[in-house]
Amino acid sequence: MCDDDHGTGHESGMNRRALIVTGATAALTLGSVTFASGAATPASGAQETRTVRGTLPAGSPDFVYVPVEVPSGVNEIKVAYTYDKPSVPAGTQGNALDIGVFDQHGTDLGGRGFRGWSGGARTEFFLRVDDATPGYIPGPVHAGVWHIALGPYTVSPQGLSYELTITLTYGEPGVAPQPVYPPERAKGRGRAWYRGDCHLHSWYSDGRRTPAEIAALARAAGLDFINSSEHNTHSSHAHWASEAGDDLLIMVGEEVTTRNGHVVALGTEPGTFVDWRYRARDNRFGRFAREIRRAGGLVVPAHPHATCVGCAWKFGFGEADAVEVWNGPYTPDDEVALASWDATLVASVRENRENRENREWLPAMGNSDAHRAPDAIGLPQTVVLAEDLTRQAIQDGIRAGHSYVAESKNVSLAFTATGPKGEHAGIGERLEVARDTPVTVRLEVTGAPRCSVRFVTDQGTLLTSDPLPVAGAGTVEWRTTPSYAAYVRAELRHETAAGPVPGAMAAFTNPIFLGEAKN
């Protein structure tokens, strides 16, 4: 139950709770917080403040909405909040409370009323027509019922006690700035391999770097393109234009951060917001995946086997355009993601053969998910064969799987399969030859000292090379047939002292498929 402390001597209904359904996800809406209701609008610069206190029990809904009745004449709304963090036994989740806001258009799923989200990254925010806290959308503060959105991410057994302080400032609204977005193309080199990092966070969500700092680090990492992907907000989109240039394509998107996994909306139209308030059981994700694609973006589930609460991917891959297999420094959950992704390749081959049809396969990519120092931007990076350095061309290359993932700008790969009559296929392509035709698979490597090459097929790892020389360059060839290997992909692994256990990843490719496609 909740109690209120408005300091005005009247009840606001905060002790009355109603369980409603928003979309298909249970949400709790509390009683309204009221402000001035007289005929006269307070003087310009005047402020009114209300304080709301309450306690959320363990097992609370994903979202709790606090309605705020905003009168006319307001030009700024500011919200600060605190909550308790009691001690909990080892292995038990403590309290974590996210926050955001929706304006007078309401909280319906789809986000027409969305005005910002900072998750747990900030303890206060403001917004007005000409400015807002990072994570929030500048714009008019119109009269009507706004909603502060609380997201009890985890709640301790003792419950979560919170306090909201809401301050309204009266005055003329000011002038809204015209948003400027980054261009959709950079100079490029025509058809070439381009390096990028498509999962990055700035101070517009829970990162600590500015867009300028991120762009500088991206250039230093040898990147040609990046994608902005803030948690559950598009507020950064209008803050990247000055950082783009002939040498750096900047795409914008969002990391849609649900309670059942995260997905990168990669390269959407600037200003696109994608809602996140649903779980897999609600059967809503397909709707928002289609919204991402209608907005010109790719649907890329992120870190699908991450171990943080709510991070593992639970929606399946039927709507995905690619999957982020490698996220940040290579760890055991990346190894699990790699094995799971490889299983999808095997499934695509099986369905191709059994059903005599071409089932689309799911390309892999890698991104840094960098938030703050010492997170390294471009570790890893996806290297994409694209017709030019434009948003559309980069997306086309990612969607087609014409890419590999490398730990840094130092690592370069050339991976091909050839037949006896000059037939040729590269990464993400199919070598169309008969089942018993001899095929030569070739990997050329630079920048990978003492790494070993592994060729992985639908049967598993069929070749592991000796370590490359200290100079880091070398070529490995392997001969096979489509009947023996339905696809081949390459891995580049660091040395390890753990015997048969593979070393940390230095690079891996998307597959080359072998054999005639079934029609």
Side-chain angles (χ1 to χ4, degrees):
M1 300 295 291
C2 299
D3 61 280
D4 65 303
D5 181 13
H6 290 175
T8 58
H10 69 274
E11 291 292 319
S12 70
M14 291 298 295
N15 287 322
R16 297 194 300 273
R17 307 199 313 177
L19 188 66
I20 67 168
V21 171
T22 299
T25 301
L28 188 66
T29 297
L30 307 177
S32 294
V33 179
T34 59
F35 282 82
S37 57
T41 299
S44 179
Q47 293 185 330
E48 289 189 280
T49 297
R50 302 289 185 266
T51 300
V52 178
R53 299 184 178 92
T55 299
L56 301 175
S60 290
D62 289 348
F63 303 101
V64 176
Y65 297 105
V66 180
V68 179
E69 297 181 11
V70 176
S72 60
V74 173
N75 70 358
E76 181 182 284
I77 181 169
K78 180 178 180 180
V79 178
Y81 82 119
T82 61
Y83 60 93
D84 67 333
K85 298 180 180 179
S87 298
V88 296
T92 301
Q93 295 293 335
N95 285 338
L97 183 64
D98 295 341
I99 196 167
V101 69
F102 290 77
D103 67 18
Q104 79 281 357
H105 292 107
T107 62
D108 287 349
L109 199 61
R112 181 166 178 253
F114 178 77
R115 291 296 295 273
W117 182 259
S118 49
R122 302 181 185 278
T123 58
E124 62 181 43
F125 66 85
F126 78 91
L127 54 86
R128 58 178 184 259
V129 70
D130 61 340
D131 198 6
T133 299
Y136 294 80
I137 314 301
V141 182
H142 289 304
V145 179
W146 289 50
H147 289 82
I148 298 169
L150 301 178
Y153 186 62
T154 54
V155 179
S156 70
Q158 302 96 312
L160 187 157
S161 296
Y162 64 87
E163 179 179 288
L164 297 173
T165 302
I166 307 157
T167 301
L168 304 184
T169 301
Y170 293 83
E172 294 299 318
V175 178
Q178 186 68 29
V180 179
Y181 300 118
E184 294 194 3
R185 65 170 52 244
K187 188 174 182 180
R189 304 181 297 277
R191 181 177 172 83
W193 292 92
Y194 295 100
R195 295 175 179 267
D197 189 346
C198 293
H199 186 170
L200 295 163
H201 297 278
S202 75
W203 67 0
Y204 286 90
S205 60
D206 62 342
R208 292 293 179 268
R209 291 166 171 149
T210 64
E213 291 169 332
I214 291 172
L217 290 168
R219 288 180 166 98
L223 302 184
D224 302 294
F225 65 91
I226 60 175
N227 178 73
S228 165
S229 56
E230 310 296 354
H231 292 287
N232 296 344
T233 181
H234 59 294
S235 66
S236 75
H237 289 191
H239 298 276
W240 285 102
S242 61
E243 311 311 328
D246 286 347
D247 62 333
L248 185 64
L249 173 70
I250 299 180
M251 300 181 287
V252 296
E254 179 184 333
E255 184 174 9
V256 184
T257 306
T258 80
R259 298 299 179 90
N260 282 164
H262 303 181
V263 60
V264 174
L266 195 164
T268 53
E269 292 288 340
T272 298
F273 166 72
V274 184
D275 213 325
W276 74 95
R277 294 171 295 159
Y278 43 85
R279 295 195 186 203
R281 67 193 181 203
D282 301 324
N283 197 28
R284 298 284 184 181
F285 176 67
R287 165 186 168 183
F288 293 100
R290 291 188 291 273
E291 284 192 8
I292 291 170
R293 279 191 282 271
R294 279 196 296 270
L298 300 183
V299 178
V300 184
H303 45 64
H305 291 275
T307 57
C308 48
V309 174
C311 294
W313 185 248
K314 305 293 187 182
F315 294 92
F317 297 96
E319 296 284 354
D321 296 303
V323 59
E324 184 187 78
V325 168
W326 184 354
N327 174 276
Y330 201 77
T331 58
D333 58 279
D334 297 309
E335 193 71 44
V336 174
L338 182 72
S340 297
W341 168 66
D342 189 76
T344 70
L345 301 179
V346 174
S348 72
V349 169
R350 181 179 63 248
E351 293 190 18
N352 185 4
R353 287 178 173 173
E354 292 178 358
N355 301 334
R356 291 191 164 277
E357 63 184 23
N358 285 315
R359 180 185 185 273
E360 289 187 4
W361 61 282
L362 185 63
M365 63 184 308
N367 302 297
S368 72
D369 198 3
H371 285 68
R372 60 189 67 83
D375 298 352
I377 290 172
L379 171 58
Q381 51 195 249
T382 301
V383 189
V384 182
L385 179 62
E387 296 301 319
D388 209 345
L389 188 52
T390 68
R391 180 179 72 141
Q392 186 64 58
I394 294 296
Q395 289 177 320
D396 288 346
I398 293 172
R399 188 188 294 109
H402 296 161
S403 61
Y404 64 90
V405 183
E407 65 180 358
S408 76
K409 65 182 179 182
N410 298 326
V411 180
S412 293
L413 307 180
F415 187 46
T416 59
T418 56
K421 298 180 180 179
E423 305 95 336
H424 179 278
I427 300 171
E429 298 177 338
R430 175 176 290 277
L431 185 67
E432 294 267 6
V433 294
R435 285 173 51 82
D436 296 324
T437 302
V439 171
T440 300
V441 178
R442 178 183 175 92
L443 180 70
E444 299 176 29
V445 181
T446 59
R450 302 299 299 168
C451 288
S452 294
V453 172
R454 289 160 41 113
F455 287 153
V456 183
T457 77
D458 53 315
Q459 294 188 67
T461 302
L462 295 183
L463 181 142
T464 301
S465 76
D466 293 330
L468 297 172
V470 174
T475 299
V476 177
E477 287 190 351
W478 180 60
R479 289 172 176 78
T480 187
T481 64
S483 62
Y484 190 62
Y487 66 82
V488 184
R489 59 180 184 83
E491 295 180 1
L492 200 58
R493 299 274 189 162
H494 289 285
E495 288 184 292
T496 178
V501 177
M505 192 70 71
F508 73 87
T509 71
N510 275 300
I512 300 173
F513 292 91
L514 306 179
E516 296 170 329
K518 304 297 182 180
N519 296 317

